[in-house]
Each structure stands twice: as C-alpha cells, then as structure tokens.
C-alpha cells in the first residue's frame, strides 16, 4: 500500500469529520423542537428513508430503541402496500432525504399529514419540500462528498448518522437515562451481563483456599495451587480476613528472599487489607475495581464482613 492510498483515506476522514463539525453552527430551535416532539410522543418514533438514507435510518432507529425510545424503521415503499397500518396517530415520523425531494418519500408524506402525524425532516436543503412539510427540519448540508468524484453519499451519510446520534444523546440527557436502563435493552450482551449480573452469581464460594497468617509459605503455595485461583485467603483464628497471598506475592518473595523464603510464614509476604466487595455488587462494579487497582481478584464479603467467596477477572470476562 503506497503513501498516496493512505492520503486518500486521511482526506476522507478529514472531510467527513469537518462535515460533521460544520453541523454545529446549523443547530437551532428545530433541534430543540425535534427532541421535544420525541419526548412528548406517546407512541413510537418511525424512521423512514430510501436508499442510503434508509440504511442510515435503520441504524438511527436501532440506536433510539436501545436508548429507551420505542422506534423502528419503515421503508416508504412498504407503506403503500399495507405497512402504513404500523403508523398510529400518536407516533412521530422521522423522514430522511438528503435532497429533500426523494419521490418515494414525498408520496408518503401526504398520508402522514392527513392523519396529523408530526414529521421530523432531515435533509441537506432547508428549502426542500420535505423541510416545508415537516414540523421541524434538521439541516445536514455538506459542502461536498468525501469521495473523489463528489458523487457517492459519504460526507452526507456521515452527517445524517451524526444528527441521529445527536438526537439520541440529547434524549439520554432529557430522560435521565442510566446505564442500568441501557442494560435492560441489552440483557444478552456483555454490557447487560456486567450491569445486571451480581458478584454472587459468578463468585467461587465452595472449597475456598484459606490459610492462616502463621502458615508456612511452602504450605501456602500448595494451597494456592490446589485452589486454582492464583491466590489464597488469609484468615486469623477468629475467622477474620487479614489478607491474601497471591502468585505474585510468592514470585516477589522468591526474588527478594531467595532460599530464605522457605522459612517464612504467610504473614511475612501476604498482601494485607485486600480489596473486598459485596455479593450484590454488579459485575460492572467488580470490573471497575479490578481495573482501578490493577488486581485480578476480589474477596467477596457479606454485611457482617464474613468471607463468602472470591471473584476474579476471568469470571467477569467469561
């Protein structure tokens, strides 16, 4: 791959990024009105468009739905053949056409106006027919497309996508939408697992590797190996947690003490006051603590500070 090829890619990135930045001064009360229409919508947000606008519209509908706004995509061609029944009078339609004059879309508009369904128009022409028939119009105009021929929808699809994302982000703010809410719509994904699953669901609670502070390091190594967790929990004779001893502690002890380490006790090399977490903590909280302190496991303790399990990064990621 020669340098000229890389330059074409760089130019495309810059052109599309600049096209998106150029949207900022074009934001006005129409954007606020669009957010208000969606917030007050008692039905669904139905996104529609043809060709590349339709493809982008599908993504916008999916993003809105994942962030708490009931939404789906409807091809205007299908609306003429029975799918208009999917549109109710308490819905809002988001119509996308860069030119604002797409014939298939414009033939769909009168059907919506007749039923008094508000339209959020998205186009690159604020004087277009789509803009005139819309309750509010969002301008996504670009000076030129990113492709060398200035023909293929590139910068214009980027601005359309960005405008849809801007609406979605504004709605997250207005609805006070939380990560926990997002997880409700993604229960099968990794994010859903992290936010909805609890430490108690993934912790190891049976046969925990436990040693006392006075256990010899050699015996502790055997316990760590048998436990297959890369560590052992250090508890005193009263059953209180006083530390952990990890594979890393053993390796560092070998480097520091050499042959002398075989006469050491666990208390000499353990990590005191280990990080703990409650059983009801989400996997997301577990992951955040593991990353923050650059550790691979947490001791799980109940409300009485009794050890009930161990959860490590492998179980969080599984």
């Amino acid at each position: 791959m020669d340098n000229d090829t890389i330059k074409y890619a760089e130019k495309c990135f810059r052109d599309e990024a600049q096209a998106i930045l150029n949207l900022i001064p074009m934001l006005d009360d129409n954007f606020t009105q669009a957010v208000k229409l969606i917030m007050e919508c008692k039905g669904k947000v139905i996104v529609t468009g043809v060709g590349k606008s339709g493809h982008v519209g599908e993504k916008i509908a999916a993003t809105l739905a994942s962030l708490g706004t009931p939404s789906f995509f409807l091809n205007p061609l299908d609306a003429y053949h029975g799918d208009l029944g999917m549109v109710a009078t308490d819905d809002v339609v988001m119509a996308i056409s860069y030119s604002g004059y797409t014939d298939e879309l414009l033939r769909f508009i009168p059907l919506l106006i007749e039923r008094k369904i508000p339209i959020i128009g998205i186009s690159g022409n604020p004087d277009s027919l789509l803009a005139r028939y819309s309750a509010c119009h969002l301008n996504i105009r670009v000076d030129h497309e990113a492709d060398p021929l200035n023909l293929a929808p590139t910068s214009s699809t980027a601005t359309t996508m960005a405008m849809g994302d801007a609406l979605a982000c504004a709605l997250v703010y207005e609805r006070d939408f939380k990560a926990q809410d997002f997880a409700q719509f993604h229960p099968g994904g990794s994010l859903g697992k992290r936010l909805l699953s609890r430490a108690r669901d993934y912790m190891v609670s049976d046969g925990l590797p436990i040693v006392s502070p006075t256990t010899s390091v050699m015996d502790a190594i055997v316990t760590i190996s048998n436990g297959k967790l890369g560590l052992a929990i250090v508890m005193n004779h009263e059953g209180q947690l006083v530390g952990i001893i990890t594979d890393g502690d053993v390796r560092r002890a070998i480097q520091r003490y050499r042959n002398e380490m075989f006469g050491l006790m666990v208390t000499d090399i353990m990590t005191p006051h280990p990080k703990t977490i409650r059983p009801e903590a989400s996997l997301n909280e577990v992951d955040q603590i593991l990353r923050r302190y650059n550790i691979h496991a947490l001791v799980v303790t109940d409300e009485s500070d009794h050890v009930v399990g161990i959860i490590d990064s492998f179980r969080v990621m599984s």
Side-chain angles (χ1 to χ4, degrees):
M1 184 177 292
D2 57 37
N3 289 335
D4 286 342
T5 305
I6 296 294
K7 288 179 181 178
Y8 294 142
E10 291 176 352
K11 184 178 184 305
C12 177
F13 292 155
R14 290 194 180 95
D15 286 350
E16 292 192 0
Q18 188 59 54
I20 293 173
L21 290 174
N22 289 343
L23 294 180
I24 295 175
M26 291 191 284
L27 288 172
D28 55 20
D29 290 342
N30 282 277
F31 185 86
T32 304
Q33 181 62 21
V35 172
K36 183 179 179 182
L37 277 174
I38 296 173
M39 286 292 294
E40 295 177 349
C41 176
K42 292 181 171 53
K44 306 168 293 297
V45 174
I46 300 168
V47 186
T48 186
V50 178
K52 301 298 187 296
S53 294
H55 296 319
V56 176
E58 290 185 69
K59 187 274 179 186
I60 292 174
T63 299
L64 289 173
S66 72
L67 293 172
T69 298
S71 179
F72 66 86
F73 177 79
L74 174 63
N75 190 313
L77 298 174
D78 295 331
Y80 310 138
H81 301 282
D83 285 0
L84 186 60
M86 302 168 114
V87 186
T89 54
D90 56 357
D91 293 338
V92 170
V93 169
M94 185 183 299
I96 306 170
S97 165
Y98 183 73
S99 69
Y101 288 100
T102 303
D103 181 64
E104 298 90 341
L105 189 63
L106 290 179
R107 286 191 283 126
F108 180 38
I109 298 299
L111 304 177
L112 302 173
I113 294 175
E114 183 180 1
R115 300 174 67 182
K116 298 182 179 179
I117 296 172
I119 300 168
I120 298 172
I122 299 180
S123 84
N125 185 355
D127 296 320
S128 64
L129 287 177
L130 174 59
R132 294 176 197 172
Y133 288 120
S134 298
C136 52
H137 175 262
L138 304 178
N139 192 351
I140 52 164
R141 180 182 61 82
V142 299
D143 294 330
H144 58 84
E145 298 290 359
D147 82 287
L149 300 176
N150 191 29
L151 294 174
T154 45
S155 294
S156 58
T157 50
T159 56
T160 306
M161 187 86 73
M163 186 61 76
D165 287 344
L167 284 170
C169 291
L171 288 164
V172 166
Y173 174 79
E174 292 293 334
R175 295 187 195 280
D176 194 25
F177 197 79
K178 303 296 186 186
Q180 190 72 18
D181 301 314
F182 186 82
Q184 299 291 335
F185 297 101
H186 299 76
S190 61
L191 178 63
K193 170 190 167 183
R194 286 169 179 255
L195 291 171
L196 298 178
S197 298
R198 303 298 164 188
R200 61 172 172 264
D201 301 323
Y202 286 84
M203 70 183 185
V204 175
S205 56
D206 296 328
L208 294 175
I210 298 173
V211 295
S212 74
T214 56
T215 300
S216 71
V217 170
M218 294 305 296
D219 287 340
I221 291 174
V222 174
T223 300
I224 293 172
S225 179
N226 290 337
K228 299 179 180 179
L229 294 171
L231 59 82
I233 302 170
V234 185
M235 300 178 68
N236 62 22
H237 66 280
E238 297 176 348
Q240 298 172 319
L241 174 67
V242 294
I244 59 172
I245 180 170
T246 67
D247 286 336
D249 292 326
V250 173
R251 288 194 301 272
R252 285 185 289 273
I254 292 174
Q255 291 177 325
R256 179 178 179 182
Y257 297 106
R258 301 292 178 175
N259 293 336
E260 296 178 14
M261 71 164 289
F262 297 110
L264 299 177
M265 296 184 296
V266 165
T267 189
D268 297 318
I269 68 170
M270 71 179 187
T271 300
H273 312 297
K275 302 299 179 186
T276 62
I277 200 162
R278 295 288 187 240
E280 61 273 12
S282 70
L283 289 191
N284 194 52
E285 294 175 85
V286 173
D287 184 56
Q288 288 177 354
I289 294 175
L290 292 176
R291 290 176 184 274
R292 183 185 311 148
Y293 296 102
N294 194 28
I295 54 179
H296 87 277
L298 288 170
V299 179
V300 185
T301 57
D302 62 18
E303 61 277 2
S304 300
D305 290 327
H306 294 142
V307 174
V308 295
I310 295 173
I311 186 165
D312 58 26
S313 56
F314 299 109
R315 283 161 181 79
V316 173
M317 292 185 297
S318 64

